[in-house]
Amino acid sequence: MIEIIEKIRLKLNASADEKTRTSGLRFFKEAVTLYGVKTSVTLSISRESYLEITDLPKNKIFGLCETLWKSGMLEESFIACNWSYAVRKNYQPADFLVLERWVDQYVKNWASCDTFCNHTVGTFVVMYPEYLQELKRWAKSPNLWMRRASAVSLIVPARNGQFLSEIFEIADILLIDKEDMVQKGYGWMLKAASKPYQRQVYDFVVKNKKKMPRTALRYAIEKMPPELRKKAMER
């Protein structure tokens, strides 16, 4: 198990360059630690390495994911996200506690948050929708990344027309959040929901626009027709 992680780190170090690392830092206002490996290369390393562990039981793969998360390295977090998603057919309700711990303890930036929640957590709640109640609890967390996670976990279901009432409940909880990463997160969730439910999302925005931060509002209406965007933006 340790050998697998060591091989990944050797590959990441061999693929790293300072230009990519410096360029990557510009996308974050919070502190992040990077090798400096292009995302496409990181994904290739992830896929190649997964072939060596594909026959392991889920708990062993989750253990490897935890080791990768603990490193604090962005590229390692992406591999952990990919591997935890790769075993999605074997998710069980008890896995929620593991997923929640990873968000709470290890997610420290938007890239790790979105990669993990769009796929792993989002798929989990589609499989076990009773855990939507837990996302509402995340929306009230003092941890800003858990609050963002509560919204971005529903991006894919929102595009597919699922969970509209829960989406609006979470947006209500996050409505006046002071953190721009949270505002962008729930605005993105509403934008995704506007694809199948344009009128309902528009009505929600108009109803709440006096309180809703402009950042969240702009994200929510981004894909709407120009005339609706103009009306929504009116003071």
Side-chain angles (χ1 to χ4, degrees):
M1 299 283 279
I2 297 299
E3 183 181 341
I4 293 168
I5 300 296
E6 288 177 348
K7 286 170 66 176
I8 287 171
R9 289 171 176 166
L10 285 172
K11 289 179 181 179
L12 289 170
N13 275 306
S15 303
D17 68 82
E18 183 59 26
K19 182 178 179 181
T20 301
R21 193 188 74 84
T22 303
S23 175
L25 290 172
R26 293 182 296 145
F27 291 97
F28 302 92
K29 66 176 185 178
E30 56 278 344
V32 294
T33 309
L34 309 172
Y35 284 93
V37 180
K38 292 180 180 178
T39 301
S40 60
V41 177
T42 300
L43 294 178
S44 179
I45 292 170
S46 175
R47 286 191 294 267
E48 290 170 6
S49 301
Y50 188 74
L51 294 175
E52 299 183 43
I53 65 167
T54 186
D55 293 328
L56 291 177
K58 180 187 64 183
N59 68 310
K60 296 291 187 183
I61 293 175
F62 273 11
L64 289 168
C65 291
E66 181 113 19
T67 299
L68 292 164
W69 276 115
K70 283 180 178 178
S71 74
M73 302 296 291
L74 186 68
E75 293 91 343
E76 291 191 35
S77 80
F78 289 164
I79 296 173
C81 293
N82 292 338
W83 288 4
S84 63
Y85 181 63
V87 296
R88 59 193 177 278
K89 291 182 180 179
N90 297 318
Y91 290 166
Q92 295 296 322
D95 294 331
F96 183 81
L97 293 177
V98 176
L99 307 185
E100 180 175 58
R101 187 179 74 252
W102 291 350
V103 175
D104 191 33
Q105 293 185 9
Y106 304 129
V107 170
K108 306 295 181 184
N109 60 76
W110 64 265
S112 295
C113 184
D114 298 357
T115 304
F116 183 56
C117 294
N118 282 180
H119 302 293
T120 298
V121 181
T123 298
F124 180 91
V125 296
V126 169
M127 292 174 66
Y128 301 105
E130 61 269 29
Y131 283 86
L132 288 163
Q133 295 296 326
E134 299 301 313
L135 294 189
K136 296 173 194 174
R137 180 172 56 79
W138 289 10
K140 299 174 183 177
S141 171
N143 181 339
L144 80 90
W145 300 112
M146 290 200 76
R147 300 201 304 278
R148 181 179 174 98
S150 72
V152 300
S153 294
L154 296 180
I155 298 298
V156 175
R159 289 177 186 150
N160 294 332
Q162 297 174 282
F163 308 142
L164 185 64
S165 62
E166 288 84 4
I167 285 166
F168 285 150
E169 286 181 63
I170 288 172
D172 268 327
I173 295 169
L174 300 175
L175 192 66
I176 58 173
D177 199 290
K178 303 297 184 186
E179 295 286 348
D180 69 326
M181 285 290 105
V182 178
Q183 296 169 15
K184 291 174 181 178
Y186 88 78
W188 182 20
M189 175 183 66
L190 291 172
K191 176 171 64 177
S194 75
K195 181 180 179 182
Y197 293 112
Q198 180 178 280
R199 175 52 60 175
Q200 290 93 327
V201 173
Y202 174 78
D203 289 344
F204 178 88
V205 169
V206 170
K207 175 185 174 183
N208 292 288
K209 68 178 184 177
K210 290 184 178 179
K211 296 182 292 183
M212 196 174 187
R214 302 298 271 185
T215 297
L217 191 154
R218 290 190 187 96
Y219 267 69
I221 64 174
E222 186 177 354
K223 296 298 183 181
M224 293 185 185
E227 64 273 15
L228 292 184
R229 294 202 307 270
K230 182 179 179 180
K231 288 180 181 178
M233 290 296 292
E234 290 173 353
R235 296 284 184 180

